Amino acid sequence: IVWFYPHSMTQNLQGELEKIWKECYVKYFGEDTLRVMPLVEAAAPYWYFKQRNQGRDKAVNIDIGGGTVDVAYAGDGRLRLVSSFRFGANNLYWVNRPIRNPLINFYLQKVEKILEKWRKDDPLIQVLNSLKKKEGGNANPDLASFFFTLGRRGIYNFAEELRANAPFRLLFLAYYSAILYHVFHLLKASGFSSPRYVSFSGNGSRILDIIFGGNSITFQSFTQQVAAKIYGDEVIQLNVEKASDPKELTCIGGLQALHDGQISSDRDREVRSIESILLGVDSTTVLTQAQRGQYTYETVEGMKEQVLVEVQRFVEFFMSLDAIYPFDEYFGIGRKELELLKSGADRDLDVYLNDGIRSAERGSKSKDDVVETLFFYPIQGLLDHYTQTAVDIMAKN
């Protein structure tokens, strides 16, 4: 049995889950628990794509989950780098605030009316009412998942509704661009040349359909433009792809890794040894596993302004993409939406940075090592402000 865990999971929690898996195995199959093996989830897609494309090299997979994004880069026939940060797709629904996300709230009444017309005694109405009773921001990702589920049942296409509104398309495009900006800078700062393959997995990668609407040419060319602005003349032609069924891809990749003898406790420790973090104070400061002790939550207190400046750089980077890849032409996003996003670049982002650091530090000590990039804490604030302002404007029209 191969079971998967996110790279951001602590070794203590991983040990607890491994214990549960082994207990279940003993209960149903017998005592040979050596047949229960863990694999970091972000690595599995590499083995899937490698099996499909023999000789696949210079490949980065970006696994977008609900809570985290896990990155795995392979070169010279082996994994060379892994990284993880808490900026999964649920962050689009403002889960770090004890109130209902404005985007979710905007569509909630519409969903309620559709369900009532659909069939008043439908169990889905009971499910929705149950989700609405959940406390504060905790309901946001569950309500979003519920809305998307309605599309798969042919009741209401939430993804298409989001795609039809330029302000929300920009929200998702900015989210995707922030991830690309960070990952390409991480690879470059770690000494790796431009990747040849960029793949996406994880349930959160379905947001790419909202941005690109299944247009593989735009998906490819936009990602290429972001890479070109970061790598310059060193960039090579990218092969960009997204799994149609992210969970199936992970499972097949895990079985392929098992077949190739790539799963063992030693291999698991090796994966942890290649973890890297782009700190977020600039585009070059990378912490490898060996360097982690150089930056603690105590030492980064004096580096917060640098993080905010780096976020400003990203905003300017994102705005500049419009000049070489016109958003109006390719995404139907006008300058008005872009200026609205930019207006939030100086709105309480320091508060989000402080909140993010406190959240990461919770349960630890200020002298503990930094466990993830600081970059996305203020990015969360930028997207939250934009969402609230965009919804307010749409509600008035």
Side-chain angles (χ1 to χ4, degrees), residues 255-292:
L255 292 174
Q256 186 64 43
L258 179 65
H259 178 269
D260 292 351
Q262 296 296 323
I263 304 178
S264 67
S265 56
D266 289 341
R267 182 64 175 161
D268 193 52
R269 283 191 292 271
E270 181 183 335
V271 169
R272 289 195 176 277
S273 74
I274 57 174
E275 177 186 11
S276 293
I277 298 171
L278 183 62
L279 188 58
V281 296
D282 52 34
S283 60
T284 58
T285 303
V286 174
L287 308 183
T288 63
Q289 191 66 25
Q291 299 166 323
R292 288 282 288 276

Side-chain angles (χ1 to χ4, degrees), residues 137-151:
N138 293 327
N140 293 326
D142 291 336
L143 284 167
S145 295
F146 178 79
F147 293 172
F148 283 117
T149 298
L150 296 179

Side-chain angles (χ1 to χ4, degrees), residues 168-229:
F168 294 148
R169 277 202 304 279
L170 177 59
L171 170 67
F172 287 89
L173 184 64
Y175 170 83
Y176 176 61
S177 300
I179 291 174
L180 290 182
Y181 177 89
H182 181 79
V183 170
F184 287 142
H185 274 304
L186 169 64
L187 295 179
K188 184 178 181 181
S190 299
F192 298 118
S193 59
S194 167
R196 184 178 302 278
Y197 298 94
V198 181
S199 55
F200 294 87
S201 58
N203 279 334
S205 66
R206 291 191 171 99
I207 62 103
L208 297 173
D209 295 329
I210 297 172
I211 302 170
F212 301 106
N215 188 326
S216 59
I217 296 176
T218 306
F219 177 35
Q220 168 90 27
S221 58
F222 178 77
T223 307
Q224 181 78 39
Q225 288 292 346
V226 175
K229 278 187 69 66

Side-chain angles (χ1 to χ4, degrees), residues 280-282 285 302-311 313:
V281 296
D282 52 34
T285 303
M303 308 175 75
K304 292 177 181 177
E305 188 59 35
Q306 293 172 255
V307 179
L308 296 177
V309 169
E310 178 60 16
V311 170
R313 289 194 194 98

Side-chain angles (χ1 to χ4, degrees), residues 331-373:
F331 304 109
I333 295 170
R335 199 68 192 177
K336 179 177 66 175
E337 286 83 22
L338 283 168
E339 291 299 333
L340 185 61
L341 177 72
K342 187 177 181 181
S343 71
D346 57 355
R347 299 291 184 91
D348 301 322
L349 298 192
D350 58 328
V351 174
Y352 280 83
L353 177 57
N354 290 330
D355 286 350
I357 290 174
R358 279 197 298 269
S359 176
E361 192 180 1
R362 193 170 295 132
S364 62
K365 301 175 183 178
S366 63
K367 293 184 178 180
D368 284 354
D369 298 345
V370 171
V371 296
E372 65 176 353
T373 180

